[in-house]
Amino acid sequence: MSAPSRRTVLRGLALAAAATAVPFSATQASAERAAWTPPLRQMRGMWIASVLNINWPSKPGLTVDEQKAEYLAWLDLAEQRKLNSIFLQIRPTADAFWPSPYEPWSQYITGTQGQDPGYDPLGFAVEETHKRGLSLHAWFNPYRVSMQADPNKLHPDHPGRKNPTWILPFGGKLYYNPGMPEVRKFCQDAMMHAIENYDLDGLHFDDYFYPTNSTAFNDAEAFAKYGAGFPDLAAWRRNNVDLMVQEMQQRVLASKPEIAWGISPSGIWRNKGTDPLGSDTNGGQSYDNLHADTRGWVKKGWLDYIAPQLYWYIGQPPADYAKLVPWWSDVADGTGTLLWIGQAAYKAGDPAQAPQWQDPKELSKHLTLNQSHPQITGDIWFSAGDVRADRLTSITTAVADHYQRPALSPVLPRLASGRRPHRAVVAQARTTSGGVEVKVVATGPQEPFQFAVFRFDSRPSAEQFENAANLVAVLPGDRHITWTDPEGKRGQYYYALAVDRANRVSRPSNGHRVIF
């Protein structure tokens, strides 16, 4: 974590940038980077989208082996980009990437909704992701039923076919009606089945609630039945979404309290011109357009984290990234809700986008600006395909500038005081032709999720384990693991921390000095 004096300097730079409403100069960016200490904990995630076969599987009907190979390649990419978390879309359209008793197999696996793919994609993804020491967050779309509007094209056993009053057409798609209590409970049950039956690290919603600009969304019948006591349709709809969010929190806490529960909403809650509490922007408002009170969820403590999609460049007139970052930081400050930023990897280098997105360093500048706000503890990149494409080297530039050191995932504040894992043991540290070979051994009854390996030139103080400059590797957990540090030298000291699934760390291991 940065020293207080440095943080004061960084805040001053951020305020100056916001006041002048211009992008950071290269001089400012260099000054901030020089003053910045890499974080020991940082969310580094990417979204892998399945809807319309955006990312995985790349097309319907691939063989099981082809699908598995594609997923493993996404994990290779995450490791290459020094990420630590995957956000995998497993319920894109009221369907499932696992054998669900609630909804049919997704059409994006085989090409036919309801067709068994011959293996368990989610089970495979969980196992392989954890083998790499990466976290897997299950990404759900809560209400979307279909990307087309004909109910007769749904699988005959689809809940929308069996309960036609549950679904409504809008904008060429089908949606579950959020205003029906039985629908809300059903959607929760369908999602919780995956959470309760798989070793997942998080439950994640995207930004789709009520359809955008849904004045023509025909839920008048449900409003007449359930809307008594609300001043208008919009207030009732917001309450419906609030109930979904609040109840999901309660169900996660009751069932799997050590996983993360969060939402990645559209980036503008309300504009200041509409509400004095809003941001200095002029764009689509989630509170009004989607009936999603995103600011309220944070202030009421209903989420473990929020990851607003700030898909604008620094200085963009309707919605300036440099104005939204401090606004969201202020919203999250002191709430216990972690703040991660959704980054628009898909815009960088796209020739159809504004000239600012043709700057290879635009995304890196976003992460530099984030450093001025200690409330921000990481980023999630959309989407995996764009992280791979790396147009104009925009992604590798951001990685080189900001992901130089490994990083552990953040600990949820509500779990920080939980039982720490058992200490690890550094059983060996010896020179080889490739560097220093380090062997780490688990000591407790439970296998750690990860090992964090530290290297020092002399015996360290306790504070030095908080400095990511000393962290040389985050390794997948096992009873024992051997790893070679290519930069290690004789005379140095190696220590390891065991890391559990909640990202809590053990006390440091014994120190092992390299003497031969």
Side-chain angles (χ1 to χ4, degrees), residues 162-403:
K162 292 183 173 182
N163 304 276
T165 60
W166 286 11
I167 59 175
L168 291 172
F170 180 85
K173 301 175 185 178
L174 292 172
Y175 296 86
Y176 282 130
N177 187 344
M180 301 177 69
E182 60 269 39
V183 168
R184 188 173 70 248
K185 181 181 184 303
F186 173 84
C187 290
Q188 292 172 5
D189 290 345
M191 292 183 281
M192 286 303 299
H193 182 264
I195 298 302
E196 291 166 350
N197 288 277
Y198 292 86
D199 191 18
L200 293 159
D201 299 287
L203 191 160
H204 178 81
F205 279 6
D206 55 26
D207 57 326
Y208 290 92
F209 295 97
Y210 277 88
T212 305
N213 299 320
S214 51
T215 53
F217 191 64
N218 189 17
D219 55 353
E221 184 176 339
F223 180 49
K225 185 174 182 180
Y226 300 110
F230 291 93
D232 53 37
L233 178 67
W236 172 71
R237 286 177 172 175
R238 266 190 299 277
N239 183 69
N240 295 331
V241 179
D242 279 356
L243 287 172
M244 170 65 89
V245 173
Q246 186 180 24
E247 290 168 1
M248 286 306 302
Q249 180 194 45
Q250 294 167 352
R251 295 190 66 165
V252 168
L253 291 176
S255 176
K256 289 284 187 74
E258 293 207 343
I259 73 168
W261 150 238
I263 296 177
S264 179
S266 55
I268 297 173
W269 170 69
R270 300 190 97 184
N271 301 308
K272 187 180 290 186
T274 303
D275 189 319
L277 295 175
S279 51
D280 185 13
T281 51
N282 185 24
Q285 306 173 115
S286 65
Y287 183 93
D288 304 273
N289 295 353
L290 303 174
H291 307 291
D293 184 10
T294 54
R295 180 183 181 276
W297 304 338
V298 174
K299 294 298 187 183
K300 293 171 184 175
W302 291 350
L303 302 172
D304 289 322
Y305 69 86
I306 194 162
Q309 298 173 20
L310 303 190
Y311 293 169
W312 300 281
Y313 59 79
I314 294 175
Q316 186 162 340
D320 186 348
Y321 185 92
K323 292 181 178 180
L324 281 160
V325 159
W327 186 87
W328 276 105
S329 298
D330 181 67
V331 168
D333 193 40
T335 63
T337 303
L338 298 178
L339 175 60
W340 305 331
I341 304 300
Q343 297 290 350
Y346 73 98
K347 287 188 175 180
D350 180 351
Q353 299 293 332
Q356 289 81 355
W357 288 111
Q358 312 313 313
D359 178 0
K361 295 188 75 67
E362 176 65 28
L363 290 171
S364 181
K365 292 175 184 176
H366 290 197
L367 272 60
T368 300
L369 177 56
N370 291 359
Q371 294 166 13
S372 309
H373 300 276
Q375 301 88 347
I376 298 174
T377 54
D379 302 88
I380 313 174
W381 302 86
F382 186 81
S383 70
D386 304 287
V387 172
R388 171 181 285 167
D390 190 28
R391 289 178 295 275
L392 303 179
T393 70
S394 59
I395 304 300
T396 49
T397 296
V399 168
D401 288 348
H402 298 280
Y403 293 172

Side-chain angles (χ1 to χ4, degrees), residues 1-3 6-7 10 32-33 35-44 82 84 339-340 367-368 370-379 398-411 452 454 463-474:
M1 190 173 277
S2 303
R6 289 177 177 173
R7 187 177 296 167
L10 297 180
E32 291 218 1
R33 194 172 297 113
W36 177 62
T37 300
L40 183 66
R41 296 185 177 278
Q42 187 179 41
M43 168 52 63
R44 300 177 182 176
K82 300 182 181 179
N84 55 28
L339 175 60
W340 305 331
L367 272 60
T368 300
N370 291 359
Q371 294 166 13
S372 309
H373 300 276
Q375 301 88 347
I376 298 174
T377 54
D379 302 88
V399 168
D401 288 348
H402 298 280
Y403 293 172
Q404 306 97 326
R405 309 304 307 168
L408 298 170
S409 295
V411 177
F454 289 77
E463 291 75 19
Q464 287 178 279
F465 287 97
E466 297 296 322
N467 187 341
N470 301 314
L471 178 65
V472 292
V474 177

Side-chain angles (χ1 to χ4, degrees), residues 49-119:
S50 60
V51 67
L52 301 177
N53 299 105
I54 291 173
N55 295 140
W56 183 73
S58 63
K59 59 183 178 180
L62 296 176
T63 67
V64 171
D65 287 344
E66 288 171 335
Q67 290 181 27
K68 289 182 175 181
E70 282 194 350
Y71 188 76
L72 294 177
W74 289 123
L75 297 182
D76 291 341
L77 176 70
E79 291 184 314
Q80 292 162 10
R81 300 291 191 250
K82 300 182 181 179
L83 308 181
N84 55 28
S85 300
I86 299 295
F87 291 76
L88 177 64
Q89 191 175 33
I90 64 168
R91 183 181 180 263
T93 51
D95 49 16
F97 269 60
W98 74 99
S100 168
Y102 294 94
E103 293 171 318
W105 283 105
S106 176
Q107 72 185 74
Y108 301 115
I109 307 174
T110 63
T112 302
Q113 189 173 71
Q115 181 176 325
D116 189 329
Y119 79 117

